[in-house]
Amino acid sequence: MDKQKIVAMTFPMQDISLGLEPSVLTVVPDGDNVEYLLDYHTDKYNDEDVQYYLCSVYITGMMDFIDWSKKHTKSKIIAGGYEPTINPDDFLDYAGRIIVGPCDSFWETIAQEGQIIKGITQNKRIPRYDLYNVQLNQQIIPDKRKNDIVTSINTSQGCPFKCDFCCSPLMCDHIMMKPLELVKEEARYLKKLNPKWIFIRDENFPLQNDWKEKLSVIRTIGAKIYLFASANLLTEENVKFMKESNVYMICLGLEDITVEYGKNKRLDEVCELLHNYGIYVYLSFIVNPVKINTDEKAESFYQRLLERFYKLRPEMVCGNFLMPFRGTKLWEEYKELITKEDFQYYNSKSAFLEKDMKRRKKDEFDMFYYQWVYYTSDIYNETVRRFDVYDTLHLRFLELKEEFIMKGYEV
């Protein structure tokens, strides 16, 4: 070959149909010799054809990465992402270079001395969106049809808050803001894709002092916008500006309803404010299997959760099981319950903290079931929106319903 390939991949393989965009796409260098592989099992390239393998590794992909790395030349393997950042020493036997933390400048980063190196971010280039097929990027959101094009952008990285359950500050414990000119460049690129929807991936978009300027730029793409924010930042002035800037939906963390969070003191007020301005509310919530380890506790928890849904009337809800991450405050409390084998279940949809398998499967069904109860309720369909409209949200829950029926559950 005249020019060796640089091959980028993620562990586990990202399910683009669910809209999961590999973080490695912001790291790989420009060039026609760079390729992103969706399947690391392929034998498309021999080691002699490859200059570097860029591997973004998450917790659930660690064992697959180890197995894969044993088949390739260690000096050509460069590992980055969540797991190498949190536990770089675990990669010493499997990767020639280990990148810690955010990185968007590949050559500058690997020019550093040592096996474990800190990622360098210079904000001089936009992510390589051309490395994957945007047509396959399916987000599960209200009103989105299967063939609608969705893309995303991030205008900052990191989060200064240290919520006890959250791993984001472990990757970057402060906000690294992109300059406005780079956001403009990226917006011009994304507009060419003609997306109908765009997701601002920032951990808490309105935390930035220039978020209004950036939102005004993103608005020029012409797509419906949805983003993460915390309730305490959503004043009426800010919500009004967002509505005028084509914001369609705002994702708020309801989190564990048995715990009080300072960021949610105004949650009820803000949900009503968003409804008044015609902005959809997306509430994510956390279920701790340890707290609902009997039928009685589970019933009490979910009834309380449903009451919150009926009061706040979100257009979308999304449940996640508690996943204590190494390095967070929760890790010390739960580490005795977590085995090495449990790391393969860090996907937010497995109740792995529950060790009784029958109970665990019931927990996983209950999380689906009570979301289904909300979506099919009269309150949702008569005062929020119709659920059975065959958008990606409805279709996904029909799939889950069939999966649980096949497992013997009654829905």
Side-chain angles (χ1 to χ4, degrees):
M1 296 178 63
D2 295 332
K3 189 186 296 185
Q4 286 182 307
K5 282 283 183 183
I6 294 176
V7 179
M9 59 193 75
T10 59
F11 297 82
M13 288 182 288
Q14 297 289 342
D15 188 347
I16 288 181
S17 68
L18 299 182
L20 300 176
E21 297 182 81
S23 60
V24 74
L25 294 184
T26 67
V27 179
V28 294
D30 297 311
D32 57 11
N33 65 323
V34 178
E35 182 170 351
Y36 175 67
L37 290 184
L38 292 174
D39 184 358
Y40 50 74
H41 297 298
T42 183
D43 294 324
K44 185 174 181 179
Y45 295 111
N46 298 316
D47 265 12
E48 58 266 25
D49 300 328
V50 176
Q51 181 180 6
Y52 291 116
Y53 295 102
L54 310 188
C55 304
S56 183
V57 189
Y58 179 63
I59 301 168
T60 54
M62 184 62 180
M63 297 312 298
D64 284 341
F65 168 77
I66 290 174
D67 291 341
W68 174 89
S69 68
K70 293 176 180 177
K71 303 172 186 175
H72 299 277
T73 304
K74 175 182 171 181
S75 61
K76 295 187 175 189
I77 299 173
I78 298 177
Y82 176 80
E83 192 66 15
T85 294
I86 306 305
N87 305 292
D89 289 347
D90 292 353
F91 289 78
L92 292 173
D93 294 335
Y94 308 110
R97 312 298 291 280
I98 302 146
I99 299 175
V100 175
C103 169
D104 74 352
S105 304
F106 175 73
W107 295 113
E108 290 81 0
T109 296
I110 67 168
Q112 300 174 95
E113 296 293 330
Q115 188 177 1
I116 299 175
I117 52 181
K118 184 174 177 57
I120 295 175
T121 297
Q122 296 182 328
N123 286 317
K124 292 183 178 179
R125 55 187 296 274
I126 66 173
R128 287 290 304 277
Y129 283 97
D130 53 327
L131 288 181
Y132 75 103
N133 186 346
V134 70
Q135 300 282 347
L136 299 177
N137 186 11
Q138 282 287 351
Q139 292 278 355
I140 298 171
I141 53 175
D143 300 339
K144 183 198 172 298
R145 301 296 167 173
K146 189 172 183 180
N147 294 323
D148 290 346
I149 294 177
V150 180
T151 190
S152 65
I153 187 172
N154 69 289
T155 69
S156 68
Q157 292 178 284
C159 181
F161 301 127
K162 293 179 172 57
C163 297
D164 58 2
F165 58 84
C166 185
C167 62
S168 292
L170 302 180
M171 287 291 291
C172 183
D173 62 2
H174 62 287
I175 296 182
M176 300 171 58
M177 295 186 291
K178 282 185 181 178
L180 186 61
E181 287 304 312
L182 188 62
V183 176
K184 290 179 180 179
E185 180 183 348
E186 191 165 348
R188 286 192 292 269
Y189 182 96
L190 294 175
K191 189 171 184 177
K192 297 176 184 178
L193 302 176
N194 194 30
K196 188 170 182 178
W197 313 84
I198 184 166
F199 176 36
I200 302 177
R201 299 197 312 267
D202 300 45
E203 297 287 342
N204 196 339
F205 179 65
L207 270 179
Q208 301 175 87
N209 53 21
D210 63 348
W211 70 268
K212 289 185 177 180
E213 290 85 351
K214 289 175 177 175
L215 185 57
S216 295
V217 170
I218 296 170
R219 178 187 181 183
T220 65
I221 297 171
K224 295 181 179 180
I225 300 166
Y226 60 110
L227 55 89
F228 286 121
S230 59
N232 59 12
L233 295 175
L234 297 179
T235 63
E236 183 164 7
E237 177 189 351
N238 288 345
V239 169
K240 183 175 184 291
F241 183 85
M242 288 177 173
K243 179 62 178 179
E244 293 169 346
S245 302
N246 212 29
V247 171
Y248 160 80
M249 182 168 68
I250 296 181
C251 312
L252 301 170
L254 179 61
E255 317 305 5
D256 183 344
I257 59 167
T258 68
V259 179
E260 291 187 7
Y261 295 90
K263 67 174 185 175
N264 282 341
K265 288 182 178 180
R266 296 180 56 243
L267 185 62
D268 293 53
E269 172 192 343
V270 166
C271 286
E272 188 64 29
L273 186 62
L274 293 174
H275 289 312
N276 290 342
Y277 276 89
I279 296 177
Y280 277 13
V281 175
Y282 176 156
L283 292 182
S284 62
F285 63 94
I286 296 173
V287 177
N288 184 344
V290 176
K291 293 182 178 181
I292 57 167
N293 57 1
T294 68
D295 288 344
E296 293 75 16
K297 290 179 181 178
E299 174 72 14
S300 175
F301 173 84
Y302 280 109
Q303 288 304 320
R304 182 176 171 184
L305 183 64
L306 279 175
E307 289 174 4
R308 293 296 286 149
F309 290 167
Y310 293 146
K311 180 175 177 56
L312 300 175
R313 296 179 293 118
E315 281 76 10
M316 182 172 177
V317 295
C318 180
N320 304 284
F321 284 107
L322 184 67
M323 299 186 299
F325 291 97
R326 285 185 279 186
T328 63
K329 294 178 182 178
L330 281 184
W331 177 255
E332 292 302 315
E333 182 177 350
Y334 290 97
K335 65 181 181 181
E336 299 303 323
L337 291 176
I338 302 169
T339 66
K340 188 175 181 180
E341 289 70 30
D342 287 331
F343 291 141
Q344 65 184 304
Y345 301 118
Y346 269 66
N347 56 17
S348 83
K349 306 306 176 186
S350 172
F352 63 83
L353 288 178
E354 174 56 66
K355 300 309 174 183
D356 180 273
M357 292 306 296
K358 183 177 180 180
R359 180 81 236 167
R360 180 186 298 187
K361 297 303 180 185
K362 179 64 164 51
D363 285 345
E364 292 167 3
F365 170 71
D366 283 348
M367 177 183 282
F368 153 77
Y369 177 72
Y370 284 97
Q371 291 178 85
W372 177 265
V373 167
Y374 174 63
Y375 284 134
T376 58
S377 68
D378 290 341
I379 291 178
Y380 185 85
N381 285 270
E382 295 175 5
T383 69
V384 183
R385 63 184 289 275
R386 292 292 302 178
F387 175 58
D388 54 349
V389 294
Y390 295 93
D391 56 9
T392 53
L393 176 63
H394 180 217
L395 293 174
R396 178 55 181 157
F397 270 82
L398 289 179
E399 290 176 355
L400 291 172
K401 176 184 176 182
E402 291 304 312
E403 289 175 11
F404 281 109
I405 288 176
M406 291 291 291
K407 294 176 182 177
Y409 292 96
E410 292 185 9
V411 180

